[in-house]
Amino acid sequence: MAYTIEEEQELSAIKAWWQENYKFIIVCFVIAFGGVFGWNYWQSHQLQKIHNASAEYEQVLFNYAKDPKAQEEQFSQFIKNNEKTGYAVLALLDKAKIAVENQDFAQAEDALKQAVAQSTDDVLSSVSALRLAAVQFQLGQFDPALESLKLVKEQAWNGAKNMLVGDIQLAKGDKDAAKSAYQQAQQNATPLEQQLIQVRLNNL
């Protein structure tokens, strides 16, 4: 069936429009397809990185726990390679735990200071700061410990934070400040924490 004059004109207009715009359309298609492909590739790449980091973390920690001195260089390299990630913070928390078990509180303090500096997550930052304050308290560094506790932002750790504040203030000889901190700790304490706090209050 022959085209009508109107159809011929419409077809010509479409062809003319295509001639003017096909390159742009192809470029948009390529960009869109490339974007989807690139996004999927990036996601796949990130998942692979996480998997690799997890496996390396477990291996590095296993080796370090067996012989901290011999594995110090490998451990430090892992921290450097995974800077500002959760794996670096977790590794440093584990390093501090091992140091405390070995009564090396100075090394534990150093590891926890690194953990605080490395963390970009409020939860990990709060845990790191709370443990750092506990180690500094053990070392008799009362004022630095109180400063570290100011970095504990997550409300879930308010009870433990206030209890430690109370212990530090009591060690400094300020019973009124210790009592206030213990009472604050009681507000959201678990039954076990309530008992521990009450013992402290009774001994003031």
Side-chain angles (χ1 to χ4, degrees), residues 6-7 24 39 58 68 86 101 112 128 140 182 193 200 204:
E6 290 80 6
E7 288 172 335
F24 175 75
W39 172 250
E58 291 180 7
E101 289 171 352
L112 290 166
S128 301
Y182 289 145
E193 289 173 340
R200 285 168 165 80
L204 287 177

Side-chain angles (χ1 to χ4, degrees), residues 48-69:
Q48 187 61 46
K49 281 180 64 178
I50 291 171
H51 176 74
N52 291 343
S54 177
E56 186 181 1
Y57 163 72
E58 291 180 7
Q59 187 61 51
V60 166
L61 182 60
F62 177 77
N63 293 338
Y64 184 82
K66 288 197 302 182
D67 193 346
K69 290 184 179 180

